[in-house]
Amino acid sequence: MSKSFGRGYLAIPGPSVLPDPVLQAMMQPVPNIYDPALEAMTDTIRRDLKQVARTVAPVAIYITNGHGLWEAALANVTRPGDKVLVPANGIFAHGWAEVATRMGLEVELIEFGKQSAFDTDRIMAALEADPDHRIRAVLGVFVDTSTGIRNDLGALGQAMRASDHPALLIADCIASLGCDRFEMDAWGVDITLAASQKGLMSPPGVGFLWVNARAQAVREGQEQVSPYWDWRQRLNPEWFYQLFFGTAPTQHLFALRAALDLLMAEGIEAVWTRHARLARAIWAACERWSEGGPLKLNAPQGHRSHAVTALGVGGDGGDRLRAWCEGQGVTLGIGLGMAPLGSPEAAGFFRIGHMGHVNGHMVLGALSVIEAGLTACEIPHGVGALEAATRVIAGR
Ligand SMILES: *Cc1c(COP(=O)(O)O)cnc(C)c1O
């Protein structure tokens, strides 16, 4: 919690800042969960969520965080002994692989390290080396929030569709939906995962699975699916209560409705453009800082997410910088996955979350505070970062 006066900016990569209309929408009495108005509102949420993911596929809504979604997706389309392919460039891919292993699946992991995007050819080669089609799904993290790398799932999806391998493509868009351009149907993604608390600007606790016809057909071939994760009734409930396999998350639904109103009013293309410009302002500043000191952008050019930026400064600079910025109302994210959690090396990394309810004032303010922090913490850095960032915001 910020100890300074004034409004803080929770600049961690999720949960993200809640817009005032979202907060206000939650501040109302809990409705009767059998009120038709709640059902009607939920229908509009399910409708608008399709637009956000660029798909005609229906969405199943779960009371869960992102980790639950990993399990939900696998529970519907795999059974113990099946094989999945997991390309990895960050700890979220490894976390998903671990969930798969613990569910009794055989995991083939393709490691791309912490600074390279997925190589579609290598993934396709692994599928081609599986003539018996034992691999049931490719688990693709779109943006790995630990490294800030955005992977080209569009190229992967199209390559998979062009091949005769029937594996499903399951995309973890938890960090990036509503931030980075994502086109579920055009890219050939079969199942998309997203959670409420990042680009969707709502409190943590609700998760979404968009499921296309191919994935639904695979589910129909399963003998048994654990009841809570089964998406069948959630996609086609006989009555509203089944949509959530129990009581609806009422205040979360009010929050989501308000958040989707904001996204729909701005337009998803404009939302992506806003994120792109804010991200470019951050990279421009970071590149200048890099010129005169140890600060480094982690993700390679061309594969940087518009939702989160992972940085290294070496030593314990990340921890010191975060502590200093906190006192000025800017909460930066801890480094994740770059070094073992809690190890001395982990103190050299930090992340900036710029997802969801963000604008030029917040990003330029955060960058200014970081620059002041670099100076206060005596971390050498190049000059001209703020000017470079303001030029991007100005469109010059
Ligand atoms: C945040 C995140 C998760 C985990 O979500 P939780 O809600 O913390 O369980 C998984 N994958 C990605 C890419 C994320 O950004």
Side-chain angles (χ1 to χ4, degrees):
M1 225 22 84
S2 166
K3 291 178 191 67
S4 57
F5 291 95
R7 282 215 174 173
Y9 169 14
L10 182 65
I12 66 173
S16 65
V17 176
L18 297 182
D20 286 350
V22 171
L23 281 168
Q24 285 152 8
M26 297 178 78
M27 283 278 282
Q28 57 176 299
V30 172
N32 178 352
I33 55 166
Y34 305 106
D35 183 342
L38 184 65
E39 179 172 356
M41 184 185 75
T42 306
D43 284 344
T44 68
I45 290 172
R46 296 171 79 209
R47 177 197 69 204
D48 291 348
L49 281 170
K50 292 192 207 176
Q51 283 195 48
V52 175
R54 296 293 194 125
T55 183
V56 297
V59 62
I61 311 181
Y62 295 84
I63 299 175
T64 181
N65 62 15
H67 282 66
L69 293 174
W70 284 341
E71 185 164 342
L74 294 174
N76 279 278
V77 296
T78 63
R79 67 203 117 194
D82 282 350
K83 191 170 171 183
V84 291
L85 187 63
V86 186
N89 48 16
I91 61 160
F92 288 94
H94 288 274
W96 199 0
E98 193 192 325
V99 166
T101 302
R102 289 173 63 183
M103 291 175 76
L105 302 176
E106 185 187 329
V107 173
E108 180 176 342
L109 196 111
I110 310 182
E111 182 59 65
F112 289 99
K114 294 167 186 167
Q115 279 165 329
S116 313
F118 294 172
D119 172 354
T120 301
D121 292 343
R122 258 182 82 189
I123 300 169
M124 293 311 295
L127 290 174
E128 276 149 32
D130 175 42
D132 301 335
H133 297 165
R134 287 198 52 232
I135 297 171
R136 300 272 283 184
V138 177
L139 316 187
V141 175
F142 179 36
V143 167
D144 203 301
T145 321
S146 58
T147 54
I149 298 172
R150 180 178 44 75
N151 293 302
D152 191 349
L153 290 193
L156 177 59
Q158 276 153 12
M160 284 175 68
R161 285 301 165 89
S163 84
D164 62 1
H165 199 295
L168 297 171
L169 176 56
I170 312 182
D172 173 346
C173 294
I174 296 171
S176 47
L177 196 81
C179 308
D180 282 291
R181 172 180 287 275
F182 175 76
E183 311 253 8
M184 177 171 173
D185 291 352
W187 291 6
V189 172
D190 297 297
I191 303 173
T192 299
L193 284 57
S196 50
Q197 79 271 24
K198 301 194 184 181
L200 297 177
M201 305 182 290
S202 297
V206 176
F208 311 98
L209 284 191
W210 290 257
V211 182
N212 75 4
R214 247 163 64 91
Q216 287 180 56
V218 173
R219 154 69 192 94
E220 292 311 313
Q222 298 272 99
E223 277 150 42
Q224 199 178 16
V225 172
S226 68
Y228 191 77
W229 298 127
D230 195 350
W231 64 42
R232 199 192 255 160
Q233 280 188 338
R234 293 173 185 268
L235 294 175
N236 289 305
E238 280 155 47
W239 64 308
F240 183 62
Y241 196 68
Q242 293 175 335
L243 198 64
F244 297 98
F245 200 57
T247 300
T250 52
Q251 300 332 77
H252 273 84
L253 293 173
F254 292 135
L256 277 166
R257 186 58 267 162
L260 286 166
D261 283 345
L262 294 173
L263 286 176
M264 294 294 121
E266 187 175 1
I268 193 69
E269 298 267 358
V271 170
W272 293 335
T273 304
R274 171 169 53 85
H275 280 86
R277 177 168 290 190
L278 296 173
R280 280 191 287 111
I282 291 169
W283 307 335
C286 293
E287 275 158 6
R288 290 297 179 88
W289 287 328
S290 299
E291 285 164 13
L295 185 135
K296 286 206 169 40
L297 276 158
N298 184 66
Q301 219 165 8
H303 292 281
R304 292 177 186 155
S305 166
H306 296 159
V308 52
T309 298
L311 296 150
V313 277
D316 61 353
D319 276 1
R320 285 189 297 122
L321 185 67
R322 283 192 306 106
W324 194 89
C325 292
E326 183 77 35
Q328 296 298 320
V330 175
T331 305
L332 298 169
I334 59 168
L336 257 194
M338 301 306 295
L341 203 62
S343 68
E345 293 75 32
F349 298 92
F350 69 101
R351 292 172 303 158
I352 308 171
H354 35 103
M355 46 180 62
H357 190 53
V358 282
N359 58 23
H361 136 248
M362 292 163 76
V363 162
L364 291 174
L367 291 172
S368 302
V369 168
I370 293 169
E371 174 146 316
L374 291 168
T375 303
C377 296
E378 298 180 343
I379 298 169
H381 54 279
V383 297
L386 298 177
E387 192 190 336
T390 53
R391 277 181 185 281
V392 174
I393 298 294
R396 296 299 155 120

